[in-house]
């Protein structure tokens, strides 16, 4: 059963407690309702993808109660500080490089070296974020492929029984998602238009904000300054391991002595999702150290979170395709 909570002190305290223990709680922001989870808890974040029925791991936005908390986890530059001063709390999300000791789970950012951070302008959301005391990852609270919810009833219609609770703070005043601005490269790039206009942004940091492709086409990975660059090609559905390969195992591993990272010895897709990005990073480094040039990935079932895991592995199946491509789901994301 999904609890319907009032946006009063008791409801917010209850929601914060559920989030702190790894639960999923939808809450209203000024833009749309978000499906929240503790961003530092990969297990909870995996549950977001499960509840949404999302076939891929999109990087999620981390929500904070103030700029100080947000900028403790990312490298904030001058642009970021100026925009945060003027526009936070508000419908603007900033993509910035993660700090080395950033406690946010890799799964939250889909393995990227950058993190999207935002301070929502909603008393309920801010109260909840203060109560949780940790960043809250929250995509729009709809099933994958559906439009974003702007009322608690919309959330329940799609996610009733799949999440712990929804905090009803009434209809969302803005009604469209936050603007996503990438400040991690040499020039600011608008990744998703939203509640704050480019004109507002340029008035604060000067002209020269590059507009992402109007169709939401993918950003060229080469343009991203800080994406997770080195990555060996992955050979999927491996039934044996070649001499030049490290192994990404799922279930009982294929035999041979080589670097092996097991996503889940027991064959749990949730555990595999939690370990996927850390595993790819580890294998990359280990394989390079051992002079290997590829990663053989054992078959992962094509259902539930397995869809998103296989999507990510497919993207790694060619060395030219980078995880930065998952950033490009912007156009699709507006509808989903
Ligand atoms: O208004 C909003 O932003 C709502 C409310 C709940 O805050 N949230 C929302 O989240 O729309 P979501 O997950 O539906 O959209 C996140 C967007 C996606 O387009 C994603 O690709 C982009 O932000 N994004 C997140 N992290 C990113 C990163 N590290 N680099 C580039 N884009 C990123
Ligand atoms: Mg969405």
């Amino acid at each position: 059963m999904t609890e319907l909570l009032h946006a009063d002190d008791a409801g917010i305290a209850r929601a914060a407690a559920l989030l702190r223990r790894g639960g999923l709680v939808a809450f209203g922001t000024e833009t749309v309702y978000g499906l929240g989870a503790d961003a530092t808890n990969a297990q909870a974040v995996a549950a977001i993808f499960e509840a949404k029925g999302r076939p891929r791991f999109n990087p999620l936005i981390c929500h904070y109660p103030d700029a100080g908390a947000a900028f403790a986890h990312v490298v904030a530059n001058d642009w970021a500080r100026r925009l945060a001063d003027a526009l936070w709390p508000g419908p603007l999300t900033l993509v910035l490089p993660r700090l080395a000791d950033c406690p946010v789970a890799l799964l939250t950012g889909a393995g990227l070296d950058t993190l999207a951070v935002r301070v929502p302008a909603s008393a309920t959301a801010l109260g909840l974020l203060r109560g949780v005391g940790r960043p809250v990852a929250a995509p729009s609270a709809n099933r994958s492929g559906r439009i974003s919810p702007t009322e608690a009833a919309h959330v329940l219609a799609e996610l009733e029984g799949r999440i712990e609770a929804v905090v009803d703070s009434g209809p969302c005043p803005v009604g469209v998602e936050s603007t996503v601005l990438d400040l991690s490269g040499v020039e600011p790039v608008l990744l998703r238009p939203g509640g704050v206009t480019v004109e507002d942004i340029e008035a604060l940091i000067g002209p020269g904000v590059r507009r992402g492709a109007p169709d939401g086409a993918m950003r060229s990975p080469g343009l991203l300054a800080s994406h997770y660059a080195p990555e060996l090609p992955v050979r999927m559905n491996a039934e044996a391991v070649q001499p030049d390969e490290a192994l990404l195992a799922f279930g009982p591993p294929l035999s041979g002595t080589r670097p092996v990272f097991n996503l889940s010895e027991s064959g749990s897709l949730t555990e595999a999702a939690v370990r996927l990005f850390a595993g790819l990073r580890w294998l990359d480094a280990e394989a390079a150290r051992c002079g290997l040039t590829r990663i053989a990935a054992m078959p992962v079932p094509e259902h539930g979170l397995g869809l998103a895991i296989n999507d990510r592995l497919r993207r790694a199946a060619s060395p030219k395709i980078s995880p930065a491509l998952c950033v490009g789901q912007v156009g699709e994301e507006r509808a989903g």
Side-chain angles (χ1 to χ4, degrees):
M1 266 300 288
T2 298
E3 296 175 39
L4 181 59
L5 300 171
H6 295 292
D8 54 16
D9 288 353
I12 289 172
R14 170 79 183 142
L18 288 168
L19 285 167
R20 287 180 63 85
R21 65 168 200 237
L24 297 184
V25 176
F27 59 96
T29 74
E30 81 280 36
T31 59
V32 300
Y33 273 75
L35 178 54
D38 174 355
T40 66
N41 177 341
Q43 191 91 26
V45 173
I48 289 181
F49 291 105
E50 228 158 11
K52 285 188 61 118
R54 204 172 232 309
R56 56 167 52 101
F57 297 123
N58 258 25
L60 305 179
I61 296 170
C62 282
H63 297 70
Y64 295 86
D66 52 62
F71 292 165
H73 290 173
V74 291
V75 183
N77 52 28
D78 229 42
W79 292 326
R81 291 185 190 284
R82 233 176 295 160
L83 291 169
D85 274 352
L87 299 173
W88 277 355
L92 174 67
T93 294
L94 302 177
V95 174
L96 293 162
R98 290 170 69 111
L99 280 168
D101 61 353
C102 176
V104 172
L106 279 176
L107 183 62
T108 305
L112 297 173
D113 285 336
T114 54
L115 195 63
V117 296
R118 131 167 167 83
V119 178
S122 143
T124 303
L126 292 174
L128 179 60
L129 292 166
R130 269 183 233 111
V132 176
R134 295 179 201 147
V136 171
S140 51
N142 49 277
R143 298 289 294 267
S144 180
R146 312 286 197 85
I147 56 171
S148 300
T150 54
E151 293 177 24
H154 301 166
V155 177
L156 285 175
E158 305 219 345
L159 296 171
E160 169 108 68
R162 301 174 73 93
I163 63 178
E164 267 68 34
V166 50
V167 186
D168 185 357
S169 52
C172 303
V174 176
V176 297
E177 282 94 342
S178 63
T179 301
V180 180
L181 185 70
D182 186 350
L183 296 178
S184 69
V186 292
E187 57 178 352
V189 180
L190 178 73
L191 295 180
R192 179 178 75 181
V196 164
T197 66
V198 192
E199 290 75 16
D200 293 336
I201 291 168
E202 291 190 329
L204 290 159
I205 61 171
V209 172
R210 194 150 60 82
R211 276 67 166 169
D215 59 352
M218 295 172 186
R219 257 191 103 176
S220 160
L223 296 174
L224 265 181
S226 53
H227 72 80
Y228 164 44
E231 186 170 313
L232 295 180
V234 169
R235 183 171 66 86
M236 293 179 72
N237 299 316
E239 281 166 1
V241 190
Q242 308 300 318
D244 63 336
E245 291 176 330
L247 178 64
L248 185 67
F250 181 80
L254 298 169
S255 57
T257 54
R258 53 179 59 80
V260 178
F261 186 95
N262 204 323
L263 289 171
S264 171
E265 288 192 42
S266 66
S268 152
L269 288 169
T270 305
E271 187 186 13
V274 164
R275 290 167 57 77
L276 177 65
F277 292 106
L280 287 173
R281 281 174 184 252
W282 184 84
L283 277 179
D284 245 4
E286 278 302 295
R289 217 172 51 76
C290 304
L292 304 176
T293 53
R294 287 191 301 173
I295 295 169
M298 290 175 63
V300 174
E302 277 280 355
H303 61 78
L305 285 174
L307 294 177
I309 293 167
N310 283 324
D311 169 74
R312 182 61 191 75
L313 294 177
R314 231 168 268 126
R315 286 157 193 271
S318 147
K320 293 274 179 283
I321 295 185
S322 116
L325 290 189
C326 59
V327 169
Q329 310 310 324
V330 171
E332 173 203 2
E333 183 56 21
R334 298 202 80 196

